[in-house]
Amino acid sequence: MTQIKIDARLLSELAREHRLPISTADAGYRMHVGLTSVFGDAAPKPFWIRDTDGQHADVLGYADQCKKGLQGAAQMHASSLAYEMCEWNRLHCKPMPGADVLEDQALSFKLRACPIVRKGSAGQGTNLDGETVKWRAGERMDAFLSQALSSGDDITRSEAYASWLRRQFDVRDGGAEIQSVSLESFNLKEVTRRAQGTTMKQQTKPMVLLSGRLQVREPEDFLSILSSGLGQHKSFGCGMMLIRPA
């Protein structure tokens, strides 16, 4: 795990270099551009923008390299502006626990995620207002709306997102058993993504903060899931699960 302090003023300057519209590009997209500009393929992913005071952003992330390796990657890859954006004397790293430590471990967690699912086939359902909603095969949809439309049953967002999280582990050979999930916050967020070439596209995505408790079953599989992130938009500030002993 890495902790990086980013100079917010230099990040904005870098965003302008990349022709990002400052007024509409979301923080996750700007940080994705910033971290990639500094570290290239070694950039921490997933990452979590934990705090910002207007002058600095505090970023947590999972990376394959330690402090020395990350700084070496930056010295090889980054422009002068991108390199100066990181406060190198405030870059901290720690190794994640090994498989032997995690075996059968009970952990509490927090997860900032974008809970979207892809519809396997075309269909239709009735929304909460009694209206018929149709979707195409392959269409991406809020996990709550998908479950509500498909089942026709009353379901809360908390229940739907808990089911979504359990599926994230189930489809990737488990690794851990989710024992409890609470929905701490939910909002619909306007995000900016580059569509084709320099074209920027605004999209509305569900963003949630989940917390709960899990039991590690297969430590190596669990660590693999942690390092690769959960859900969509892992390169843009979503999908990082923070863990601690329960």
Side-chain angles (χ1 to χ4, degrees):
M1 176 187 283
T2 64
Q3 182 176 359
I4 306 170
K5 284 285 186 182
I6 299 294
D7 185 301
R9 181 184 61 84
L10 293 181
L11 176 60
S12 294
E13 189 174 335
L14 186 72
R16 285 192 290 271
E17 271 197 1
H18 285 263
R19 299 181 180 179
L20 296 183
I22 301 300
S23 60
T24 56
D26 61 282
Y29 193 92
R30 289 198 303 271
M31 191 59 70
H32 160 73
V33 170
L35 293 176
T36 303
S37 297
V38 176
F39 301 107
D41 292 339
K45 184 183 74 172
F47 64 85
W48 184 317
I49 305 174
R50 189 171 64 169
D51 188 37
T52 179
D53 58 10
Q55 295 182 320
H56 301 89
D58 188 25
V59 182
L60 300 177
Y62 290 131
D64 293 332
Q65 301 190 54
C66 64
K67 180 176 181 177
K68 183 177 180 180
L70 287 172
Q71 190 162 11
Q75 290 167 341
M76 179 67 69
H77 181 84
S79 65
S80 297
L81 170 60
Y83 188 83
E84 289 181 7
M85 192 178 66
C86 287
E87 298 195 2
W88 295 104
N89 62 331
R90 301 174 75 181
L91 169 63
H92 305 288
C93 298
K94 75 162 189 174
M96 294 299 289
D100 55 335
V101 176
L102 286 172
E103 188 169 0
D104 294 324
Q105 180 76 261
L107 301 171
S108 60
F109 68 84
K110 285 187 179 293
L111 170 69
R112 182 174 290 164
C114 179
I116 290 175
V117 298
R118 187 191 294 271
K119 304 299 285 187
S121 59
Q124 66 179 44
T126 304
N127 66 16
L128 298 176
D129 297 322
E131 301 167 333
T132 298
V133 177
K134 297 182 179 180
W135 59 83
R136 304 180 305 276
E139 184 172 341
R140 296 178 185 273
M141 187 179 295
D142 181 332
F144 164 68
L145 295 179
S146 175
Q147 194 164 342
L149 288 171
S150 299
S151 67
D153 298 330
D154 290 337
I155 186 170
T156 66
R157 285 191 181 275
S158 183
E159 292 169 338
Y161 296 144
S163 296
W164 170 84
L165 178 57
R166 290 186 174 95
R167 286 197 301 273
Q168 297 302 302
F169 281 90
D170 290 344
V171 300
R172 294 167 68 181
D173 299 324
E177 177 186 344
I178 303 296
Q179 297 179 327
S180 65
V181 183
S182 296
L183 176 61
E184 291 197 9
S185 67
F186 160 80
N187 64 80
L188 293 173
K189 186 174 181 180
E190 291 291 326
V191 300
T192 305
R193 299 293 179 262
R194 199 178 295 278
Q196 293 182 345
T198 59
T199 302
M200 305 299 291
K201 183 178 180 181
Q202 290 287 111
Q203 304 172 356
T204 302
K205 300 294 183 184
M207 297 292 174
V208 300
L209 177 61
L210 303 175
S211 63
R213 179 185 170 107
L214 59 81
Q215 184 88 32
V216 177
R217 298 304 185 197
E218 296 292 338
E220 292 185 0
D221 292 337
F222 177 66
L223 287 171
S224 176
I225 292 171
L226 274 191
S227 63
S228 59
L230 293 126
Q232 300 290 319
H233 299 276
K234 294 186 287 288
S235 296
F236 304 99
C238 296
M240 185 176 185
M241 177 177 277
L242 301 178
I243 58 172
R244 63 171 50 190

